[in-house]
Amino acid sequence: MTDGVIRIKCNKHETIEVYPGDVVAITGENGAGKSSFAGFLAGFNGHNNTDHFRSQLDISYNGADINNISDYHRVCSLVLQIPQDGLLFSYLEKDISFGFKNLGISEEEKTLRYDAMKRFDIDDYIYTKKYSTMCGGELEKAAFLSIYSQNPRILILDEAFNMLGVEGKLLYKKLIDIYRKDKRILFIVTHDKAVTKMCDYALKLDRSKGNMVRITKQGKEEALLNTRSSED
């Protein structure tokens, strides 16, 4: 059965399968290419050195190569590490409205999606405050909500809550609970042991001499040995 399954094959090696409801940490040393991998996984061709991965990775969704799925952007979304890079307008409400228009969302569905965003207990002012007046943590929350409003079946967070401290951990926990319950797929790029511990398992990226990429699936205990705590 292929419905909802992501398959990742690296350099013709063993295929890694990610199933609906899986919460997956993406780990690795600095320079291993975690952000580039996240961009490639999201179908962002040409984003952040993703060309390097195209020659070494085969990624499919529902049995089809993600590069051949015309509406894959409706299925998979990425929250970028630099929040400003994912925000188009001057405040969040306009970004969300633009996304709704592109997706053809009905008024009834818009209400349901705003109600869903309330589950994260983020203050309402975030929707109308200008980005130019926001601090880093507020920008992270705005960038996250902008993407979450699109209701993606597959969500990738590239160290999305790094500036939020304890509040960020709470957001991760709520989001993980939602994605597990709804049988959707969540990837989290992280160096943080506390975040890795919340996940089901990890995909560790290594880049050897000659820029060969290796992706290893690790159980939670093994993954924790290769990540640092938030206090480190």
Side-chain angles (χ1 to χ4, degrees):
M1 183 176 179
T2 60
D3 188 33
V5 178
I6 294 176
R7 289 181 171 82
I8 304 168
K9 182 175 284 188
C10 181
N11 292 312
K12 312 303 180 184
H13 294 158
E14 181 182 357
T15 299
I16 296 169
E17 296 185 335
V18 182
Y19 291 89
D22 284 1
V23 178
V24 186
I26 298 173
T27 65
E29 299 296 327
N30 290 332
K34 297 183 296 297
S35 292
S36 298
F37 173 68
F40 185 75
L41 182 60
F44 287 8
N45 293 326
H47 165 78
N48 201 7
N49 296 317
T50 52
D51 288 344
H52 172 74
F53 284 89
R54 188 175 296 110
S55 63
Q56 302 189 54
L57 295 182
D58 294 312
I59 301 179
S60 65
Y61 176 70
N62 279 348
D65 188 314
I66 61 170
N67 294 301
N68 297 329
I69 302 175
S70 60
D71 61 347
Y72 184 65
H73 67 283
R74 292 175 176 263
V75 175
C76 182
S77 296
L78 168 64
V79 181
L80 299 167
Q81 187 174 6
I82 301 173
Q84 297 93 318
D85 289 350
L87 299 169
L88 301 177
F89 297 99
S90 58
Y91 59 96
L92 178 58
E93 194 169 68
K94 193 168 183 179
D95 269 300
I96 291 174
S97 295
F98 179 76
F100 285 167
K101 184 177 180 180
N102 278 347
L103 294 172
I105 302 300
S106 68
E107 291 300 319
E108 182 180 3
E109 180 64 20
K110 289 178 186 178
T111 299
L112 291 173
R113 293 196 182 188
Y114 270 110
D115 286 344
M117 287 184 275
K118 290 178 181 178
R119 290 184 284 185
F120 296 100
D121 297 320
I122 295 175
D123 291 333
D124 287 344
Y125 77 81
I126 203 81
Y127 295 95
T128 54
K129 185 174 182 178
K130 288 189 175 182
Y131 298 141
S132 59
T133 65
M134 287 185 178
C135 67
E138 289 173 328
L139 285 169
E140 287 188 336
K141 287 186 278 190
F144 163 67
L145 289 174
S146 176
I147 295 297
Y148 185 77
S149 68
Q150 299 173 26
N151 195 32
R153 296 295 306 169
I154 305 164
L155 180 59
I156 308 165
L157 304 179
D158 187 1
E159 302 195 70
F161 302 144
N162 276 4
M163 291 179 272
L164 286 170
V166 173
E167 186 179 5
K169 301 293 193 304
L170 293 174
L171 287 174
Y172 276 127
K173 186 178 186 308
K174 289 177 182 178
L175 183 62
I176 287 169
D177 289 344
I178 289 168
Y179 265 67
R180 280 186 177 136
K181 180 180 178 182
D182 292 349
K183 293 296 182 183
R184 291 184 278 172
I185 293 174
L186 181 62
F187 292 95
I188 303 175
V189 178
T190 185
H191 284 287
D192 192 328
K193 184 173 289 189
V195 177
T196 302
K197 193 172 184 179
M198 298 181 197
C199 300
D200 299 315
Y201 56 90
L203 300 182
K204 183 185 178 186
L205 270 67
D206 292 297
R207 188 179 294 186
S208 62
K209 291 181 180 178
N211 272 334
M212 288 291 290
V213 175
R214 183 184 179 194
I215 300 177
T216 307
K217 182 176 179 179
Q218 297 182 327
K220 184 181 294 188
E221 295 306 317
E222 184 181 3
L224 288 172
L225 293 174
N226 291 287
T227 52
R228 62 173 182 258
S229 69
S230 55
E231 289 77 25
D232 288 348

